[in-house]
């Protein structure tokens, strides 16, 4: 039986807009110390440098904002600014999980089609588990894997752990860098469903156009029909 693995953030539920809104406020708060474009570059560099320690997610983002604020202000950033950044991070962590259009019926249909389904998502364990619980989708997944990074080796390990060969697995996600390229390298199928909005610079990559196991869909609602076609070809 084929396994369909879904990414979580910005594939099943909205996530990136929370970061956009908080970063816009961050630029306003730090405007006396740093121009907005330069601040964005500083923050991105700090986030990437901190990934090995903090991983992906809101908590690492918040710590990177605080570190960046201290650096660009030469330690002069007011305590009130730091406090607001912490409050906003807590609000992000408690935010409802708003599903993308068509996700709930599409995932349920995929399950009814007889596919095994699981979640493979990057980020903080507590945050991702909370979002899945709030999404109302948890009971549909037979397995959940929250990982620190997605690469070819990770996909191979997870496929083996769950008793499927790479050729029996389809990875569905919005990130070419994390969901598509490494899954294809591992030998799986990969379905790219782009999120409507800017892509975080660290996740940008060129789609593997022409790869025989790659597909791009406009929305999750198209996935059941695409999977039916794949099953018929198998």
């Amino acid at each position: 039986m084929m396994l369909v693995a879904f990414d979580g953030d910005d594939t099943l539920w909205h996530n990136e807009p929370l970061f956009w809104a908080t970063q816009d406020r961050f630029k306003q708060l730090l405007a006396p110390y740093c121009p907005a474009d330069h601040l964005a570059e500083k923050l991105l560099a700090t986030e990437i440098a901190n990934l090995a320690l903090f991983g992906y997610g809101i908590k690492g983002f918040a710590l990177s904002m605080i570190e960046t604020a201290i650096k660009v202000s030469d330690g002069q950033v007011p305590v009130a600014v730091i406090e607001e950044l912490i409050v906003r991070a807590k609000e992000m962590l408690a935010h409802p999980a708003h599903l993308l259009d068509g996700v709930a019926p599409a995932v349920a249909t995929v399950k009814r089609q007889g596919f095994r389904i699981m979640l493979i998502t990057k980020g903080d364990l507590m945050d991702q588990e909370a979002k899945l619980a709030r999404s109302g989708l948890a009971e549909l997944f037979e397995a959940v894997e929250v990982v620190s990074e997605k690469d070819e080796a990770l996909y191979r390990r997870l496929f083996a752990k769950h008793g499927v060969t790479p050729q029996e697995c389809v990875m569905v996600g919005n990130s070419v860098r994390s969901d598509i390229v490494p899954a294809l390298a591992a030998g799986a199928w990969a379905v790219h469903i782009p999120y409507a909005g800017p892509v975080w610079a660290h996740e940008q990559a060129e789609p593997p156009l022409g790869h025989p196991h790659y597909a791009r869909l406009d929305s999750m609602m198209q996935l059941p029909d695409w999977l039916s076609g794949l099953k018929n070809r198998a």
Side-chain angles (χ1 to χ4, degrees):
M1 184 184 298
M2 291 194 72
L3 183 148
V4 180
F6 293 87
D7 172 53
D9 292 340
D10 301 314
T11 296
L12 300 179
W13 48 73
H14 295 280
N15 182 65
E16 197 63 24
L18 298 176
F19 287 84
W20 301 338
T22 299
Q23 189 162 331
D24 284 345
R25 180 56 179 157
F26 180 60
K27 293 175 183 177
Q28 295 172 1
L29 293 169
L30 274 295
Y33 307 102
C34 189
D37 290 346
H38 187 53
L39 183 65
E41 294 174 1
K42 289 285 189 182
L43 176 58
L44 176 61
T46 302
E47 287 183 274
I48 293 174
N50 285 336
L51 281 176
L53 292 174
F54 301 153
Y56 295 89
I58 294 167
K59 295 172 186 175
F61 174 62
L63 289 169
S64 293
M65 283 195 298
I66 292 170
E67 181 179 343
T68 303
I70 293 170
K71 285 181 178 178
V72 301
S73 69
D74 292 325
Q76 300 304 305
V77 61
V79 172
V81 170
I82 302 299
E83 183 178 22
E84 180 170 340
L85 295 177
I86 293 171
V87 168
R88 284 183 170 267
K90 289 180 178 180
E91 291 173 347
M92 291 173 70
L93 288 166
H95 197 274
H98 294 306
L99 297 179
L100 275 70
D101 289 345
V103 160
V107 175
T109 299
V110 171
K111 190 173 183 69
R112 286 197 302 270
Q113 287 175 311
F115 293 96
R116 298 169 60 195
I117 64 172
M118 69 179 293
L119 182 73
I120 304 177
T121 189
K122 288 193 305 190
D124 177 78
L125 178 61
M126 290 179 63
D127 184 28
Q128 293 297 326
E129 287 182 338
K131 282 189 282 193
L132 178 59
R134 294 194 295 264
S135 74
L137 300 175
E139 65 181 17
L140 295 175
F141 294 97
E142 73 169 55
V144 175
E145 299 282 355
V146 180
V147 301
S148 57
E149 188 58 273
K150 292 177 178 176
D151 55 24
E152 178 183 346
L154 179 281
Y155 282 113
R156 288 187 181 278
R157 287 197 302 272
L158 291 185
F159 299 156
K161 175 181 175 180
H162 292 279
V164 291
T165 65
Q167 295 76 19
E168 295 173 312
C169 188
V170 180
M171 182 65 204
V172 181
N174 71 293
S175 171
V176 172
R177 177 184 178 274
S178 294
D179 302 318
I180 305 305
V181 172
L184 290 174
W189 298 80
V191 176
H192 181 213
I193 305 178
Y195 186 73
V199 177
W200 185 37
H202 185 62
E203 290 293 340
Q204 292 177 2
E206 290 297 318
L209 302 177
H211 193 291
H213 284 190
Y214 168 74
R216 181 193 183 281
L217 303 180
D218 292 327
S219 77
M220 191 67 73
M221 290 179 283
Q222 297 173 325
L223 182 64
D225 285 343
W226 185 87
L227 288 170
S228 291
L230 178 63
K231 185 184 270 189
N232 291 335
R233 292 197 299 271

